[in-house]
Amino acid sequence: MNTKVWKVDKYVDNLESNPHVVDAAHFLRENEVVALPTETVYGLGGNAESDEAVAKIFAAKGRPVDNPLIIHIAEKQQLNTFVTEISAKAEVLMDKFWPGPLTIIFKKKAGVLSEKATAGLETVAVRMPDHPVALALLKKCGLPIAAPSANSSGKPSPTKAEHVIDDLAGKIAGVLDGGSTGVGVESTVIDCTETIPVILRPGGVTKEALEAVIGEVTVDAALTDPGAKPKAPGMKYRHYAPNAPLIMVSGTREFLQHLVEEKRQEGLRVGVLTTEELESAYQADYVLACGRRADLETVAAALYETLRRFNELDVDIIFSEMFPQTGVGDAIMNRLQKAAGNKIITE
């Protein structure tokens, strides 16, 4: 398959009439899959009402079929076609955070969306992306679009069109290139079918921000206890992993450096994931700075690209610093734990 690449300037007016957006929307209506930029990461979009389109998403990514997809919409009224009810708390969250990096889980109507998209569950996860190119494409095609991250399953999510092309060229119909994404980690997922909403995945909207508008919010036990059964099927899988084994290190800088030296003495090429503040503090084969520890949003924005940069280097093992689990730090640590398969060395 020849994968088309359309470059679109997200700052121009009338994006819905842009020829590249029109072309990409046509592909979606023909049940092909197209990668699109969002404010979090690039998504791999397909018609959520079509078994054919959804099957192409799973096939291109190599994604387990029991891992449901997030449905993307451009206008809130679209929910009425495939959601049975919208709770008062969900209404508040939509008013506050949509468009934006928040996915809300609702009870779904039967017989509207592809059962493959929702993995046969009675619920559906929905969000409205805050990216002008994504919104223009969604409005132009007029469909609810299922869109997981546009990468090979298990690998770091794509924050640039080049990342999508590296993983999926020849496997999908096209890539709508809208430049680099902003937030850098996926949306927060919150289940609003419960009396007290439950965070199933931390992301661009923090627990503190959610509680500020709707009160108490709980966190799925599987986010803090790897042995707990996750409420969301996709949480049981390893994600975001670079090619080399990644190990998180809980301890001092000196302890991490000691681990590096041990592995180098074994003849291994070692990488270190740190931040700008300590980039010069480590001696390793490769030391990559991932944002600034003083501003965790910069770490989140750079995380996946940093993991992908390690793939370009000849490293055998990667040691990563830990980050405070406050604010967006929850999302950073969640992604690192998944990438490391929960491997942590403690001093």
Side-chain angles (χ1 to χ4, degrees):
M1 177 186 296
N2 180 35
T3 300
K4 297 188 70 171
V5 179
W6 307 277
K7 283 187 176 290
V8 178
D9 182 352
K10 66 182 179 182
Y11 298 108
V12 303
D13 295 329
N14 304 315
L15 277 169
E16 280 184 66
S17 61
N18 181 288
H20 297 326
V21 173
V22 172
D23 201 13
H26 171 75
F27 274 86
L28 289 173
R29 287 194 295 270
E30 293 295 312
N31 293 330
E32 297 294 344
V33 293
V34 171
L36 63 148
T38 78
E39 80 283 19
T40 57
V41 300
Y42 272 75
L44 183 58
N47 179 3
E49 297 176 352
S50 164
D51 283 346
E52 177 190 0
V54 173
K56 289 178 181 178
I57 294 173
F58 281 100
K61 281 180 61 69
R63 183 182 175 99
V65 295
D66 66 340
N67 193 354
L69 307 179
I70 293 173
I71 311 304
H72 292 61
I73 60 174
E75 297 173 333
K76 198 168 82 170
Q77 55 263 38
Q78 287 179 272
L79 287 173
N80 298 328
T81 63
F82 58 85
V83 165
T84 60
E85 59 181 292
I86 301 173
S87 70
K89 289 181 179 179
E91 286 279 8
V92 172
L93 291 175
M94 288 187 289
D95 289 342
K96 176 67 176 178
F97 297 110
W98 279 13
L102 181 69
T103 294
I104 302 174
I105 294 179
F106 304 91
K107 292 284 182 66
K108 73 174 185 182
K109 288 181 180 176
V112 180
L113 300 174
S114 165
E115 286 294 307
K116 295 179 185 293
T118 58
L121 300 176
E122 295 180 353
T123 54
V124 58
V126 188
R127 91 175 186 98
M128 185 186 296
D130 188 14
H131 193 290
V133 175
L135 289 172
L137 179 63
L138 290 166
K139 289 176 183 176
K140 190 65 183 178
C141 72
L143 296 166
I145 295 298
S149 55
N151 58 301
S152 295
S153 190
K155 297 302 181 183
S157 299
T159 54
K160 295 180 177 179
E162 291 85 352
H163 299 160
V164 181
I165 295 164
D166 287 344
D167 280 12
L168 301 179
K171 297 180 180 180
I172 62 176
V175 180
L176 199 55
D177 182 354
S180 297
T181 62
V183 177
V185 293
E186 293 85 352
S187 60
T188 302
V189 178
I190 186 165
D191 185 352
C192 282
T193 67
E194 306 283 352
T195 303
I196 299 175
V198 182
I199 293 175
L200 304 186
R201 181 180 72 186
V205 178
T206 66
K207 182 174 186 285
E208 295 86 345
L210 294 167
E211 291 188 324
V213 295
I214 61 170
E216 183 182 4
V217 171
T218 62
V219 175
D220 188 7
L223 291 177
T224 55
D225 178 5
K229 181 180 179 181
K231 183 176 173 66
M235 291 171 62
K236 67 188 178 186
Y237 294 108
R238 189 180 181 203
H239 298 284
Y240 323 117
N243 294 338
L246 173 71
I247 298 174
M248 294 183 294
V249 179
S250 176
T252 62
R253 177 185 64 80
E254 291 77 13
F255 178 65
L256 194 155
Q257 182 63 47
H258 171 70
L259 295 174
V260 170
E261 291 167 0
E262 281 189 336
K263 292 301 179 184
R264 293 183 84 185
Q265 287 171 6
E266 294 173 13
L268 299 181
R269 295 177 63 82
V270 183
V272 173
L273 188 154
T274 181
T275 55
E276 292 177 14
E277 291 91 336
L278 288 176
E279 185 177 8
S280 62
Y282 295 107
Q283 299 298 315
D285 294 287
Y286 295 99
V287 180
L288 298 186
C290 181
R292 300 183 302 280
R293 182 171 287 270
D295 182 359
L296 291 181
E297 289 188 0
T298 65
V299 176
L303 181 60
Y304 292 140
E305 181 161 13
T306 303
L307 292 175
R308 283 179 174 268
R309 282 175 62 199
F310 277 117
N311 288 347
E312 299 168 4
L313 305 172
D314 185 20
V315 295
D316 300 305
I317 190 168
I318 304 162
F319 290 113
S320 172
E321 293 180 341
M322 307 274 279
F323 295 91
Q325 289 189 259
T326 58
V328 76
D330 274 336
I332 294 166
M333 285 300 296
N334 171 264
R335 302 317 191 268
L336 281 172
Q337 286 172 311
K338 290 287 188 183
N342 290 305
K343 295 192 189 94
I344 302 175
I345 296 178
T346 302
E347 186 171 10

